[in-house]
Amino acid sequence: MATTTAKLTLTSSDLTSDALNLTTTTTFTGSHTTGLARKAITSTAIGTASGQVTIDTADTYGSPALIYVKNTATYDASANWIYLYHSGDPDGMFWQIGGGQFCYMPVSGDFTLKAYTSTTGTVIEYIVIGTEA
């Protein structure tokens, strides 16, 4: 079993009327991982089979699995966005990650998670940690 510790710190002097200084840490133990991967995404539309990146395939990991995703591109207000969606849900994406941004979250292992981009060639970095389904 491998143990992973994630720590998030949010600070701001002008977001609220008081200074914000929030830190949270969590530890997760999982026996399996995809390993850290970096891939270029070439698909610019949801549901396109070619050029999308499959981050997690349904029923590979038990629930919950932890997923870390980072958009390695430089931030641009109108380009270099990565969109994540569950395969089989043509209604649309549920995450939008700009250049330089990342996310880390527990997810159900029941869905296939895929990524497409606003700008072909945007590189995604990701890892899935969990137990075998």
Side-chain angles (χ1 to χ4, degrees), residues 12-21:
S12 176
S13 60
D14 59 358
L15 180 64
T16 63
S17 59
D18 294 323
L20 177 66
N21 188 358

Side-chain angles (χ1 to χ4, degrees), residues 78-100:
S78 61
N80 301 333
W81 289 89
I82 290 176
Y83 306 102
L84 303 179
Y85 74 101
H86 288 298
S87 177
D89 182 6
D91 292 332
M93 57 86 186
F94 62 93
W95 283 335
Q96 181 175 330
I97 305 170

Side-chain angles (χ1 to χ4, degrees), residues 3 26 31-32 47 95 97 105:
T3 301
T26 188
S31 57
H32 293 80
W95 283 335
I97 305 170
M105 79 215 108

Side-chain angles (χ1 to χ4, degrees), residues 29 31 41 66 81 90 106 125:
T29 302
S31 57
I41 307 170
L66 288 178
W81 289 89
E125 177 179 272

Side-chain angles (χ1 to χ4, degrees), residues 71-83 97-100 117-122:
N71 182 338
T72 65
T74 301
Y75 179 80
D76 184 310
S78 61
N80 301 333
W81 289 89
I82 290 176
Y83 306 102
I97 305 170
T117 183
S118 64
T119 309
T120 189
T122 302

Side-chain angles (χ1 to χ4, degrees), residues 9-87:
T9 302
L10 300 173
T11 61
S12 176
S13 60
D14 59 358
L15 180 64
T16 63
S17 59
D18 294 323
L20 177 66
N21 188 358
L22 173 70
T23 300
T24 187
T25 303
T26 188
T27 301
F28 181 79
T29 302
S31 57
H32 293 80
T33 179
T34 59
L36 187 63
R38 292 174 67 114
K39 295 183 180 176
I41 307 170
T42 57
S43 174
T44 58
I46 193 168
T48 308
S50 178
Q52 293 191 347
V53 170
T54 299
I55 296 168
D56 184 23
T57 303
D59 301 323
T60 300
Y61 295 93
S63 293
L66 288 178
I67 295 181
Y68 159 81
V69 176
K70 181 178 180 182
N71 182 338
T72 65
T74 301
Y75 179 80
D76 184 310
S78 61
N80 301 333
W81 289 89
I82 290 176
Y83 306 102
L84 303 179
Y85 74 101
H86 288 298
S87 177

